[in-house]
Amino acid sequence: MAGLWSNELRFYLGAYDLSGMSVRASIELAAPVLDRTSFVDAAEFGTADIRRDAIEWAGWFDDQAEGIDALIGTLIGTRGDVLSFFLGTGTGDRAYSGTLFVAAVKPSGNVGELVRVEGNYKPDQSFDVCKHFGPKTTITTSGTTHGSVDDSAASTGTHQMYSNLTIYTTGTVRLDLQDSADGTAFTSLVTANYTAIGSKKSEFTGTLRRYVRVVSSFLAGSGSGTAIYVMTYKR
């Protein structure tokens, strides 16, 4: 992969977008933590036997009242929050996504200063090598199409969809992963419904066809407001 500028990286944890406040974010993982997919490069797998997982983040406090460390701290002791690193801002670029157990947060610094947050965020199982549908998408009306990605061929097996909803006002938000053999006629495969900010992992077993896109909407009768989301998928 070619080098990336910092503004081409995105970092999402649960319902929080840390991208705009980040000056550094890193994942340290032993090679076996990565789950092999069709998106994986052979060089990403090594022979490490010792698993040491850690995530470190450094950036600005988000405002003068509450630091980002306090926001992340609300996740301590929970399982299932989705972490996604986006490498690049184009639709179909690489991403690493997984669900975490947040064990501890160690903040340093004062409000308004550059701070470093050390996290003991353990992956429940592994991080999937995924593709994403680009930076955050704003939903204001139903039927917004995001994508599609051409993966050149279909695949069969268990496929994952990861989503983070960072802004929500009202209504039931539906995120619908769809596939197609020809890039024209799409079929729904798996959905994630939201009535609050948060993150979800969904999956299905079967055939994922060549073209993949996401369609966002508000469920009929639930009202419609404003929502912002990101999504990745593993083939």
Side-chain angles (χ1 to χ4, degrees), residues 26-31 33 51-56 85 121 123 127:
S26 64
I27 300 178
E28 181 178 347
L29 300 172
V33 173
R51 174 167 168 167
R52 182 180 183 276
D53 314 327
I55 297 170
E56 292 186 354
F85 268 120
Y121 311 136
F127 278 103

Side-chain angles (χ1 to χ4, degrees), residues 4-17:
L4 295 171
W5 296 100
S6 60
N7 62 0
E8 296 178 288
L9 305 178
R10 298 291 186 270
F11 181 32
Y12 306 98
L13 175 59
Y16 307 121
D17 176 8

Side-chain angles (χ1 to χ4, degrees), residues 157-217:
T158 300
H159 306 88
Q160 279 73 38
M161 177 182 82
Y162 295 92
S163 57
N164 301 72
L165 195 76
T166 61
I167 298 292
Y168 168 87
T169 55
T170 189
T172 299
V173 176
R174 177 187 174 103
L175 304 178
D176 192 1
L177 188 73
Q178 301 181 346
D179 74 341
S180 171
D182 57 9
T184 301
F186 282 84
T187 301
S188 297
L189 294 173
V190 62
T191 63
N193 292 336
Y194 286 90
T195 55
I197 60 173
S199 59
K200 295 177 184 289
K201 175 184 178 181
S202 308
E203 65 181 28
F204 78 98
T205 300
T207 298
L208 182 61
R209 294 180 294 177
R210 173 175 174 172
Y211 297 90
V212 184
R213 73 180 187 183
V214 58
V215 175
S216 60
S217 61

